Amino acid sequence: MKQLVNSMTGFGQAQGKIDQTTISIEVKTVNHRFLDFSFKMPREFLGFEDAMKQKIRQYFNRGRIDVFINISGEGVRSKDIQVNWKTLDQYLKALEEIKEKRDISSDIEFEDLLQLEGIFIEEENAEVDGEVQDKIIELLEEVLQKVNAMRQDEGAALKVEVLNRINNVKDYTNELEQHIDTIQKEYQERIKERIHSHLNDTAQDESRIIQEVAILTDKSDITEEITRLFSHVAQVQEAVNLHQPIGRKLDFITQELLRETNTIGSKSNDVRISKIVVALKSEIEKIKEQVQNIE
């Protein structure tokens, strides 16, 4: 079963040999909105790129995946040795001319021909042997397992951090809820005092004042926002236990948490509410920062 929360940051490396050729593979992953690939490797391996992408998709759903492949020792392509007959004939003709003009009778030995430059031509085959591709995929899978383990370890730490922060958000929301009745009553009294101060004593209409107070109080009511905050907290707590990528989901929820918190801040001028709103925004911003690295 797949890890519940995965980070998008990881690193792994592995090395293997085919005959006298050493192949080294490194994979580094960082956060990215989608699954993005980058390969830095010899041209011989370009034909394997699709197979490597397919293998990577078996492990990761999001993140930038940087793959580095290096080879040392012998090349991975087989070579054919060809005789450059045209050049050899030119050498032999020149040697015969030297013998005739300088009266040299020594015979040309085979060892002498080996010293001549350009007699033999090495030609690499266009295709890399299938054994090489199998080895690369084998090494890549070994590396991906290491990267995945690192992403899982960091993901576990991110889960703890997010849950701790969201619990703080829940505590602050509970604190807001406890102040609702008291703050609304205080708010109603302040409004009534302000209205009374602007009305002539003989022209006061108590029912009209009460109606205006009720309208203004309703506009300042934060009950709905608090209810939605509790709902979003529960969604985060549920999401971190899902067996699927949750980064985008958590990112959306944190945006909603911020939106509700900002609405509460704009509705209330109470100092106590303002302090809690500041604390709430701080916790949510920290959650949002951590969520950016969750797959």
Side-chain angles (χ1 to χ4, degrees):
M1 186 173 289
K2 192 170 183 179
Q3 165 77 16
L4 298 180
V5 178
N6 278 345
S7 167
M8 284 189 283
T9 301
F11 176 81
Q13 58 184 348
Q15 189 177 87
K17 296 190 69 173
I18 297 180
D19 297 328
Q20 300 304 311
T21 302
T22 299
I23 302 173
S24 301
I25 299 181
E26 290 185 0
V27 173
K28 179 179 69 174
T29 68
V30 294
N31 62 316
H32 193 275
R33 188 176 179 184
F34 305 106
L35 184 61
D36 183 51
F37 302 96
S38 174
F39 292 92
K40 294 183 180 179
M41 57 189 179
R43 293 179 59 85
E44 296 97 309
F45 300 150
L46 291 178
F48 308 157
E49 189 171 310
D50 286 342
M52 287 189 280
K53 286 181 178 180
Q54 184 177 352
K55 178 60 65 175
I56 291 170
R57 288 190 184 98
Q58 295 176 9
Y59 285 85
F60 311 129
N61 293 278
R62 289 179 66 203
R64 177 178 171 84
I65 316 297
D66 291 313
V67 181
F68 304 90
I69 303 179
N70 292 302
I71 60 172
S72 58
E74 294 184 358
V76 294
R77 287 180 175 170
S78 60
K79 297 178 180 180
D80 292 330
I81 305 298
Q82 303 290 337
V83 177
N84 190 336
W85 294 105
K86 184 176 181 180
T87 299
L88 177 59
D89 290 341
Q90 290 176 344
Y91 273 125
L92 292 175
K93 182 179 179 182
L95 290 171
E96 289 297 331
E97 291 177 355
I98 291 172
K99 288 170 64 176
E100 290 178 2
K101 291 183 178 181
R102 295 294 182 264
D103 193 26
I104 298 174
S105 60
S106 177
D107 292 330
I108 300 173
E109 299 292 337
F110 182 73
E111 288 76 8
D112 299 325
L113 297 178
L114 296 178
Q115 306 301 317
L116 300 176
E117 186 176 350
I119 297 299
F120 300 103
I121 302 173
E122 286 188 359
E123 293 184 353
E124 286 190 336
N125 292 324
E127 297 183 357
V128 177
D129 190 279
E131 181 185 358
V132 175
Q133 178 173 349
D134 292 341
K135 187 64 177 179
I136 288 175
I137 299 301
E138 176 189 325
L139 286 172
L140 178 62
E141 179 143 31
E142 180 182 342
V143 175
L144 293 177
Q145 289 173 356
K146 294 177 180 178
V147 176
N148 195 45
M150 185 173 178
R151 285 166 61 122
Q152 288 181 346
D153 288 342
E154 186 169 329
L158 287 173
K159 178 181 177 179
V160 172
E161 176 72 11
V162 168
L163 284 176
N164 286 338
R165 296 291 181 187
I166 205 66
N167 284 334
N168 291 341
V169 170
K170 185 177 181 180
D171 290 341
Y172 285 127
T173 306
N174 279 322
E175 192 174 344
L176 281 175
E177 189 176 43
Q178 293 169 9
H179 287 303
I180 288 179
D181 291 340
T182 302
I183 290 172
Q184 281 192 317
K185 289 178 182 178
E186 292 175 357
Y187 187 65
Q188 289 174 357
E189 291 301 320
R190 288 200 302 269
I191 295 175
K192 288 172 69 174
E193 289 174 5
R194 289 174 59 186
I195 294 176
H196 277 299
S197 67
H198 289 85
L199 292 176
N200 186 290
D201 291 339
T202 60
Q204 290 183 10
D205 183 348
E206 188 70 25
S207 63
R208 179 60 183 270
I209 292 175
I210 293 173
Q211 183 180 5
E212 293 294 330
V213 169
I215 293 172
L216 292 172
T217 302
D218 183 65
K219 289 183 178 179
S220 66
D221 185 19
I222 59 174
T223 303
E224 289 186 10
E225 286 76 18
I226 288 176
T227 299
R228 285 194 286 267
L229 280 177
F230 279 128
S231 175
H232 296 325
V233 166
Q235 289 172 19
V236 171
Q237 293 171 329
E238 178 184 353
V240 295
N241 290 313
L242 296 175
H243 293 273
Q244 62 189 48
I246 59 170
R248 292 180 187 175
K249 182 181 180 72
L250 290 179
D251 187 52
F252 173 77
I253 297 174
T254 54
Q255 291 181 40
E256 291 300 299
L257 283 166
L258 278 174
R259 189 170 69 86
E260 301 298 343
T261 302
N262 287 330
T263 301
I264 292 172
S266 66
K267 279 189 172 186
S268 176
N269 293 320
D270 185 86
V271 175
R272 289 166 295 183
I273 296 293
S274 297
K275 287 182 178 179
I276 298 173
V277 166
V278 170
L280 264 175
K281 290 178 69 173
S282 175
E283 290 297 326
I284 296 169
E285 289 289 354
K286 289 172 183 175
I287 293 173
K288 188 174 181 63
E289 183 180 341
Q290 298 299 327
V291 165
Q292 298 307 307
N293 203 33
I294 292 178
E295 185 179 19

